[in-house]
Amino acid sequence: MNTMQEENFNTTGSLRVIISNEFGEVTKEFSVTNLVVNTGKNWITARLKDGGPAQMSLMGIGTETTTIGADPVVVGDTALGTPLGAQVALTTAGGVVTNNVIEYQATFPANGTYVGAITEAGIFNAAATMLCRTKFLAVNKAATDTMTIVWTVTAS
């Protein structure tokens, strides 16, 4: 009798992007999948080993303009293609864990810094290790708009 079991550990993710105008009205909302990149997988493995390295605490957005099909997100990515402004702190550093899902959330304020055709996003720790990255069709964010990104990563 063969009692050997095979298990696979997979990480998948998705994010929800919400744009609100200066009156708090949602003007655009959509969801997109993401890729957990190699540096993110290595980070997860290191956390399983000894609790280090530093937790994820930042999210960045960017304006990479290369056609999505011509410049896909790949597991070897370590940074955004064209970062826009400084990364912002996650609402809860380290994210919020429920069973095998971790949720990260960040808000890019209506302060004139994060303005333009946003096409990419990523999650990072303070040491600039990228957990995951995604690209999507351009979302125009005006100076008076707020962008909130809710990102989930599932381990299965």
Side-chain angles (χ1 to χ4, degrees), residues 106-118:
T107 299
F108 297 86
N111 64 4
T113 301
Y114 306 99
V115 176
I118 311 303

Side-chain angles (χ1 to χ4, degrees), residues 23-46:
F23 305 110
E25 301 165 331
V26 174
T27 57
K28 179 136 182 126
E29 184 173 353
F30 65 94
S31 295
V32 63
T33 59
N34 83 185
L35 180 67
V36 177
V37 296
N38 286 340
T39 55
K41 291 175 183 178
N42 292 338
W43 176 84
I44 291 169
T45 304

Side-chain angles (χ1 to χ4, degrees), residues 99-154:
N99 299 322
N100 61 324
V101 177
I102 187 164
E103 180 178 281
Y104 300 102
Q105 181 173 323
T107 299
F108 297 86
N111 64 4
T113 301
Y114 306 99
V115 176
I118 311 303
T119 58
E120 61 180 335
I123 297 175
F124 303 85
N125 67 11
T129 299
M130 182 165 61
L131 174 65
C132 44
R133 179 179 182 219
T134 192
K135 289 183 71 176
F136 41 85
L137 295 176
V139 175
N140 293 313
K141 182 182 177 303
T144 55
D145 292 339
T146 299
M147 175 184 271
T148 300
I149 299 177
V150 180
W151 205 314
T152 59
V153 176
T154 302

